[in-house]
Structure formats: structure tokens, C-alpha cells
């Protein structure tokens, strides 16, 4: 499966910079002409190149340069934060091939991640771990009630998202158990009880990501590509991953079902304290005084 071609979304930025610079130059020229017209137009600068005229010309040229700098800097900022729209959906993307070229890290965030529990991907993981690559994955706890918010009709009748997530966790646990200790230390996966707003795959500094739409599963969604080292969007995406990682839970015991259920039961976000002052204030605002 080939990786789809990338269509640069910011390709018009250089032309936009030239257009803005041209408008700035035109404005300065117009102001200069307005000031010189009462004195005889630009011919006044030819009258023996007087000291005052030369100073005036230098001042105008400096104004032109200074006025153009912010325009060029803004365009440069857009150039440094590129976004690339990839055609189609992630089902057409060569995810194993993308991961197989990693040299430093792999970070994956999604709902159930069946692609990353396939035999092909497991072999890719095995090769990357042998090369010293760090791999981290986050998926939604299959016992979490938030996973039930996903439209049921998007998924196979035999493989609801909860079932898919449980199958992924079983495969990842078996894979981790098969790794040598040194490699196992570089392979981690966690579960979160909350639905992430985006799914992402990070390979070193390259990030493939997509929002979770109501109409599509993650693998069927349109997606984008950003760099995490020179892109504001990419930087925020990896921070988002790290934030969810910090709030997620490792699955380490020999009884994963019990552990995952306990993770749900102990999550204050799923069982909020309804006796707080904020909750009582909400009741008063909404007219529920019971």
C-alpha cells in the first residue's frame, strides 16, 4: 500500500507575502508622491542632490524596508508552521511502513487501535524495539462508558468498539510478555477512560492525526500531517498526547479485566462528587432545588 501524495495547504503563502509586500510598497510610494507633489514631484530630488533631499530619500526608503519586514515575517511564520492535507482516509495510508522508518520514538493515540495489534504491526514493533525505538500507545478502556458514546452503526456487528479494544489489549499484553526485558522497557501502552478528541500517530518528529467525527471511525476519517519540531500544531499535538499519557493507566496485572474495571470504578471523572458547591450552584441555576 503506497502512501498518498501530499498536497501542501500553505502553498500560497509565498505569493501572499509578495502581494502584501507589494501593497505596502504601493502605500509608501503613494505617501511619498503626496508629500513631494507640492514641491514639484520627484524632480525636487534632482536639484543638486541637496543634503536635505538626500536625507529625505533615505528616510522614505527606510520606511519602505521597515514596512515590508512585518509582512515578510508573518509569511515566514506561516511557512514555519506548514500543514499538509492528505487525500482520502487513513485506511489508505501505509501505517506499518510509516512506523517501520522510525528511529527514535513512536506515539499512538486512538480509541481501540486494532491496526496496531495486527500481526504485521507487531512485527514492525518488534523490529523497531530491537533498534532502540521507544513505543507508547494509548487506547480507551473497553469498560469505560464513554466508549458507548460512539455511534454503534459505525462498527461491525461482531466487533463493537468495546470488543475491539479488549482484543487489542490482549494482543498487546501477549506481545509485551514475549519481549526481552530490555525491549519490554521501551514498549508501553496505557488506557484512558475518556474519549480523545483526536487520534494521532507520531513517528520521530512526523505526526499523522485526525479529529474523531461522529460519522466516521478513526481509520475512515480524513487526516492531516504536521511536524512536531517546527510546527505550532504539531507541538500542541504531542503535548496533548503527553497530557493524556500522564492521566492514563498502565495495564500490568495478570487479571486485566479486573484491573480495567477497577480503573473505571475509581475514576472520579466517571463518578463525580455531586455534593460539591459547584454542583449545588448548577442545580440552583437550572431550577432543581431538591
Amino acid at each position: 500500500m503506497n502512501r498518498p501524495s501530499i498536497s501542501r495547504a500553505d502553498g500560497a503563502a509565498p505569493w501572499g507575502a509578495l502581494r502584501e509586500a507589494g501593497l505596502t510598497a504601493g502605500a509608501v510610494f503613494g505617501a511619498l508622491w503626496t508629500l513631494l507633489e507640492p514641491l514639484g514631484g520627484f524632480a525636487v530630488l534632482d536639484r543638486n542632490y541637496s543634503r536635505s533631499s538626500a536625507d529625505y530619500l533615505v528616510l522614505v526608503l527606510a520606511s519602505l524596508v521597515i514596512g515590508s519586514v512585518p509582512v515578510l515575517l508573518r509569511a515566514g511564520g506561516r511557512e514555519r508552521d506548514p500543514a499538509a492535507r492528505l487525500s482520502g482516509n487513513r485506511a489508505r495510508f501505509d501505517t506499518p511502513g510509516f512506523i517501520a522508518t522510525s528511529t527514535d520514538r513512536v506515539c499512538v493515540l486512538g480509541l481501540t487501535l486494532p491496526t496496531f495489534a495486527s500481526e504485521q504491526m507487531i512485527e514492525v514493533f518488534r523490529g523497531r524495539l530491537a533498534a532502540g525505538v521507544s513505543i507508547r500507545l494509548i487506547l480507551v478502556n473497553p469498560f469505560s462508558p464513554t466508549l458507548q458514546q460512539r455511534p454503534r452503526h459505525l462498527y461491525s456487528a461482531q466487533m463493537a468498539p468495546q470488543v475491539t479494544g479488549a482484543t487489542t489489549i490482549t494482543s498487546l499484553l501477549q506481545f509485551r510478555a514475549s519481549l526481552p526485558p530490555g525491549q519490554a522497557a521501551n514498549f508501553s501502552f496505557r488506557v484512558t477512560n475518556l474519549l480523545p478528541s483526536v487520534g494521532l500517530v507520531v513517528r520521530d518528529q512526523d505526526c499523522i492525526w485526525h479529529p474523531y467525527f461522529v460519522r466516521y471511525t478513526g481509520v475512515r476519517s480524513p487526516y492531516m500531517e504536521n511536524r512536531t519540531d517546527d510546527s505550532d500544531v504539531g507541538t500542541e499535538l504531542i503535548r496533548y498526547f503527553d497530557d493524556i499519557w500522564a492521566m492514563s493507566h498502565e495495564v500490568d496485572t495478570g487479571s486485566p479485566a479486573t484491573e480495567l474495571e477497577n480503573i473505571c470504578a475509581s475514576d472520579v471523572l466517571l463518578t463525580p462528587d455531586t455534593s460539591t458547591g459547584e454542583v449545588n450552584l448548577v442545580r440552583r441555576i437550572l431550577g432543581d432545588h431538591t
Side-chain angles (χ1 to χ4, degrees):
M1 184 181 298
N2 295 325
R3 178 179 176 179
S5 60
I6 297 177
S7 173
R8 291 292 300 273
D10 64 332
W15 296 110
L18 291 176
R19 182 174 63 252
E20 291 188 37
L23 292 174
T24 301
V28 174
F29 178 84
L32 174 62
W33 180 265
T34 301
L35 292 173
L36 290 181
E37 179 61 23
L39 303 177
F42 282 98
V44 72
L45 301 179
D46 294 329
R47 297 174 185 173
N48 300 322
Y49 294 97
S50 67
R51 174 75 181 186
S52 59
S53 297
D55 291 344
Y56 195 57
L57 180 59
V58 169
L59 179 61
V60 171
L61 292 177
S63 299
L64 176 61
V65 172
I66 294 172
S68 300
V69 166
V71 175
L72 297 176
L73 287 178
R74 289 198 302 272
R78 289 193 295 269
E79 283 280 285
R80 289 191 295 272
D81 194 17
R85 186 177 301 279
L86 306 184
S87 60
N89 56 54
R90 197 163 59 82
R92 302 174 184 175
F93 187 79
D94 183 10
T95 304
F98 182 72
I99 298 296
T101 57
S102 60
T103 60
D104 178 38
R105 65 175 176 177
V106 171
C107 303
V108 181
L109 170 64
L111 300 183
T112 58
L113 303 182
T115 301
F116 297 90
S118 66
E119 292 184 6
Q120 181 184 13
M121 188 63 78
I122 289 297
E123 290 308 309
V124 170
F125 283 164
R126 197 180 300 278
R128 292 300 83 208
L129 290 168
V133 174
S134 171
I135 299 176
R136 294 187 295 165
L137 302 94
I138 307 174
L139 69 160
V140 178
N141 188 342
F143 287 106
S144 174
T146 62
L147 199 55
Q148 299 173 17
Q149 297 175 19
R150 294 292 294 168
R152 181 65 180 83
H153 69 273
L154 297 178
Y155 302 89
S156 166
Q158 292 77 26
M159 292 292 283
Q162 294 89 339
V163 177
T164 303
T167 303
T168 297
I169 290 173
T170 298
S171 297
L172 295 178
L173 285 172
Q174 292 173 349
F175 170 62
R176 188 173 61 186
S178 71
L179 293 171
Q183 295 181 20
N186 282 335
F187 180 78
S188 302
F189 73 94
R190 295 185 176 186
V191 296
T192 176
N193 288 326
L194 302 180
L195 285 179
S197 55
V198 300
L200 58 85
V201 182
V202 175
R203 176 201 62 189
D204 301 333
Q205 303 300 333
D206 297 310
C207 180
I208 302 297
W209 66 281
H210 61 84
Y212 277 109
F213 295 107
V214 174
R215 290 176 174 266
Y216 304 104
T217 60
V219 76
R220 299 292 179 185
S221 297
Y223 58 101
M224 305 287 289
E225 178 179 0
N226 284 90
R227 295 275 299 178
T228 62
D229 56 350
D230 62 355
S231 161
D232 291 340
V233 174
T235 298
E236 289 305 317
L237 286 169
I238 196 62
R239 286 177 179 171
Y240 179 71
F241 177 88
D242 288 336
D243 288 343
I244 294 185
W245 181 265
M247 297 185 293
S248 300
H249 305 270
E250 293 273 6
V251 182
D252 290 324
T253 70
S255 302
T258 301
E259 182 177 7
L260 291 171
E261 285 188 281
N262 289 337
I263 288 173
C264 276
S266 61
D267 195 328
V268 295
L269 295 178
L270 298 180
T271 55
D273 183 357
T274 58
S275 63
T276 65
E278 290 81 1
V279 172
N280 292 329
L281 179 58
V282 169
R283 290 194 180 106
R284 291 198 298 272
I285 292 173
L286 297 177
D288 184 358
H289 302 282
T290 60

